Amino acid sequence: MHPFSYEKVTNEHEALERARLGKATFVAGGTTLVDLMKLNVEVPTALVDINGLPLNQIEDRSDGSIRIGALVRNGDLAHDSRIQSRYRVLSQAILAGASAQLRNMATTGGNLMQRTRCYYFRDPVYPCNKRQPGAGCAAMDGYNRIHAILGASDTCIATHPSDMAVALVALDASVHIRAANGERVVPIMEFHLLPGDTPDRETVIRPGELITYVTLPSGPFGPRSAYVKLRDRASYEFALASAAVALQLEGTTVRSARVALGGVATKPWRALEAEQVLTGAAANKATFLNAADAALTGAVPRRHNAYKIELAKRAVVRALADALTH
Amino acid sequence: MSITPIDRLEFIRITAAATSVRKDTKSGVSVAPSASVTRALALRVNGEAVRLDVDTRVTLLDALREQLQLFGTKKGCDHGQCGACTVHVNGRRVLSCLTLAVMHDDDDIITVEGLERNGVLHPVQEAFIEHDAFQCGYCTAGQIMSAAALLNEPCGPSDDDVREQMSGNLCRCGAYPNIVAAIQSARGRA
Ligand SMILES: Cc1cc2nc3c(=O)[nH]c(=O)nc-3n(C[C@H](O)[C@H](O)[C@H](O)COP(=O)(O)OP(=O)(O)OC[C@H]3O[C@@H](n4cnc5c(N)ncnc54)[C@H](O)[C@@H]3O)c2cc1C
Ligand code: SF4
Ligand code: FES
Ligand code: FES
């Protein structure tokens, strides 16, 4: 690991000021950053520890929304009774990820910023456009069983690994970002970027900007929602395919729906085509199968990951059935 | 080389005599120098106040093992993938390999050496012995620290619930059946 300076900050202003002055990198739970520093994939020269910021509350807002501080630990968020009852899919998605120890460390902000688990990205001996723009992509014609079938580009086919973010897409969440010159609010759909020609840029966050909150709207989506995650083992493993869904029903008809996919796309993926199929249709297995087909129509498999198309469809159908009967 | 006020402060704290300049591979510009930076920490480990000088790069795991000679906590993977390094920080189980020691100024750390009270083993330790919940023992400290924390966490009653909550602790010997039995007995559910 390369040497770095370290400062702990206790207010947002100080955090932003440090970041502005010194090309600093924020550290929260450390579960992505410290891991990648050991691998020499991340090489920060100045760490700013943000764990002392007062951003660790889950608050009810007067408009019915919920505001989650960027430092709320994943485990605390998943076990919060309001989240469990009103935003079931979020609680399920977080508990399907990592392990109890990691969820005690990982934060809401850090989870959104976690890096891909592409094995070539994690090992600096391989060419990787995300790690080193222009170097090439070892996964494209390498072993790409875990890679993306949606949203890929000629430069990068890495999946976004977060479970939490997939649920946030199904819940129309917003991300609050503080910069030295003000605050902005970004819909979760626009927070992560497609790789395009710049796979090194993964989010709209610019250097030195701080995620302060994630908000969940009161909206119709939440209680009737579900997360299904499929992977190589039953627990403590990243998704090969996952689905976060939310349904609003009118009798036995779907009034509106949200379908988001994880493990198969270069960013937390919203399947608008599937939502269109569901809207106004009867809430039954046949509709769910059609929706799953629609969700994957744009899929482009590589050599070792064609199996993900069928796997993702099954995740969608199972999640919809679970949300319906819940 | 331009030095910001923060960098200047850190310069004063450097311990190594040599300062080399590293090229940032991305931008090609010269960035902060590559001498190690140390920090003084005051924390509590197993109930005792401890003062440490640590290189900012040292993980909590390495500080416990190398500097405090607490070898009970094990290094399996060093990347968050096995659970052997599990300790309690302020009462919660975490992976000591993925957190920097410098981040724990003022924190309360409990390792497997600090689980017993006045010579009496923790109920989870008793249960592990009673149920023969280990073979080589390499994962055991991590399993015990995880299980001890689990007793105070939301967890359903079934063996499957325990398996799910313990999935962050791998056992290459496959002692899982006895580990689950030990934990269930410590919870008073078997
Ligand atoms: C073995 C293992 C298994 C895992 N399994 C899963 C899984 O199954 N599903 C899953 O979803 N995740 C999984 N994870 C990933 C884990 O969820 C993330 O590592 C974690 O959420 C990152 O949060 P953190 O607070 O630790 O981030 P850190 O490591 O502290 O930071 C990560 C990045 O975010 C930046 N950052 C952090 N907070 C802010 C902020 N407030 N504003 C701006 N930037 C910020 C940091 O600068 C850094 O670049 C796993 C991790 C490990 C090690
Ligand atoms: S898929 Fe993306 S992250 Fe993986 S090697 Fe290619 S460029 Fe790098
Ligand atoms: S040594 Fe920390 S999880 Fe393996
Ligand atoms: S007892 Fe050997 S690894 Fe668990």
Side-chain angles (χ1 to χ4, degrees):
Chain A
M1 219 189 277
H2 293 270
F4 52 86
S5 66
Y6 169 90
E7 295 295 334
K8 186 160 185 169
V9 292
T10 52
N11 66 65
E12 282 169 37
H13 176 73
E14 202 187 341
L16 295 168
E17 211 37 32
R18 291 267 180 210
R20 194 175 63 80
L21 285 176
K23 255 187 123 189
T25 302
F26 297 130
V27 61
T31 61
T32 287
L33 191 62
V34 176
D35 182 24
L36 292 177
M37 283 162 66
K38 290 181 187 188
L39 297 169
N40 280 329
V41 171
E42 298 267 17
V43 191
T45 52
L47 278 198
V48 172
D49 182 345
I50 58 173
N51 287 290
L53 299 183
L55 296 173
N56 53 6
Q57 303 291 317
I58 304 170
E59 297 158 297
D60 282 303
R61 312 289 284 171
S62 53
D63 61 357
S65 65
I66 283 197
R67 190 172 82 162
I68 304 158
L71 290 169
V72 171
R73 307 291 148 173
N74 288 176
D76 293 333
L77 185 57
H79 290 298
D80 185 273
S81 60
R82 291 161 293 182
I83 302 296
Q84 284 177 327
S85 62
R86 285 157 61 189
Y87 304 96
R88 178 177 186 251
V89 63
L90 179 57
S91 180
Q92 287 183 328
I94 293 171
L95 293 178
S99 66
Q101 293 98 307
L102 284 158
R103 294 190 295 266
N104 276 344
M105 307 169 79
T107 62
T108 308
N111 192 311
L112 290 176
M113 298 291 288
Q114 65 175 293
R115 312 294 307 272
T116 184
R117 302 299 291 197
C118 170
Y119 4 80
Y120 305 110
F121 169 76
R122 290 172 58 82
D123 187 342
V125 306
Y126 292 100
C128 168
N129 289 321
K130 192 185 273 303
R131 199 171 3 84
Q132 203 187 336
C137 168
M140 209 61 80
D141 297 310
Y143 189 55
N144 44 38
R145 176 174 177 270
I146 65 170
H147 289 77
I149 53 175
L150 289 165
S153 73
D154 291 343
T155 64
C156 180
I157 55 172
T159 57
H160 193 277
S162 173
D163 293 297
M164 183 192 86
V166 181
L168 292 180
V169 168
L171 293 170
D172 292 334
S174 304
V175 184
H176 295 240
I177 301 168
R178 271 284 298 272
N181 57 359
E183 198 199 21
R184 61 201 168 107
V185 181
V186 178
I188 184 75
M189 277 284 289
E190 291 162 26
F191 181 81
H192 294 98
L193 304 173
L194 288 171
D197 293 332
T198 52
D200 52 315
R201 287 208 63 207
E202 296 173 345
T203 71
V204 297
I205 292 273
R206 291 182 287 255
E209 287 187 327
L210 179 73
I211 300 171
T212 47
Y213 302 99
V214 169
T215 47
L216 304 173
S218 62
F221 300 114
R224 199 179 284 282
S225 63
Y227 192 72
V228 168
K229 176 174 177 178
L230 304 172
R231 43 189 156 169
D232 279 330
R233 54 186 184 200
S235 184
Y236 200 18
E237 185 54 277
F238 289 90
L240 293 171
S242 73
V245 306
L247 289 174
Q248 188 191 14
L249 296 179
E250 216 164 54
T252 55
T253 304
V254 179
R255 186 159 163 215
S256 55
R258 287 286 181 277
V259 178
L261 302 177
V264 289
T266 50
K267 60 178 252 179
W269 193 258
R270 179 150 168 210
L272 289 162
E273 306 86 344
E275 293 173 14
Q276 274 158 19
V277 169
L278 288 162
T279 306
N284 60 32
K285 180 92 184 263
T287 301
F288 296 167
L289 285 166
N290 287 338
D293 282 340
L296 275 300
T297 41
V300 181
R302 308 290 308 182
R303 182 148 177 231
H304 305 107
N305 64 5
Y307 75 97
K308 281 195 176 188
I309 297 178
E310 182 60 26
L311 199 67
K313 287 184 187 176
R314 292 182 189 186
V316 170
V317 173
R318 263 181 49 189
L320 285 166
D322 182 25
L324 181 68
T325 53
H326 166 64
Chain B
M1 183 170 60
S2 80
I3 301 167
T4 65
I6 301 170
D7 293 332
R8 224 185 282 281
L9 260 179
E10 294 303 340
F11 261 115
I12 299 166
R13 295 198 182 97
I14 60 178
T15 50
T19 53
S20 57
V21 175
R22 195 174 53 76
K23 290 275 185 195
D24 184 324
T25 44
K26 253 190 202 165
S27 59
V29 298
S30 299
V31 293
S34 305
S36 61
V37 180
T38 56
R39 281 306 184 82
L41 293 183
L43 62 170
R44 276 171 308 285
V45 179
N46 297 330
E48 276 179 44
V50 171
R51 290 190 164 278
L52 279 180
D53 286 322
V54 294
D55 185 311
T56 53
R57 293 169 288 184
V58 169
T59 59
L60 179 60
L61 172 61
D62 286 340
L64 290 169
R65 287 180 56 87
E66 316 285 333
Q67 286 178 259
L68 295 172
Q69 269 85 55
L70 291 168
F71 298 118
T73 308
K74 296 293 185 281
K75 183 185 284 192
C77 65
D78 213 19
H79 286 281
Q81 301 179 3
C82 75
C85 66
T86 303
V87 300
H88 297 179
V89 173
N90 302 330
R92 294 159 63 109
R93 53 170 157 158
V94 303
L95 299 177
S96 59
C97 73
L98 285 190
T99 188
L100 300 168
V102 73
M103 294 167 72
H104 295 284
D105 198 25
D106 243 7
D107 280 348
D108 214 322
I109 317 288
I110 304 287
T111 69
V112 72
E113 290 92 342
L115 212 51
E116 57 156 48
R117 284 279 170 275
N118 308 318
V120 179
L121 291 182
H122 187 281
V124 168
Q125 291 174 306
E126 291 282 8
F128 265 62
I129 295 168
E130 202 175 304
H131 289 266
D132 201 12
F134 40 80
Q135 287 180 42
C136 78
Y138 200 80
C139 71
T140 309
Q143 301 279 0
I144 287 175
M145 294 312 285
S146 246
L150 182 148
L151 298 190
N152 303 315
E153 293 170 1
C155 177
S158 73
D159 286 0
D160 276 349
D161 294 323
V162 171
R163 283 189 196 103
E164 175 59 38
Q165 289 311 304
M166 290 296 293
S167 71
N169 291 83
L170 304 190
C171 174
R172 288 300 85 191
C173 298
Y176 298 112
N178 292 6
I179 292 171
V180 173
I183 295 170
Q184 287 292 43
S185 110
R187 300 171 85 205
R189 288 183 197 272

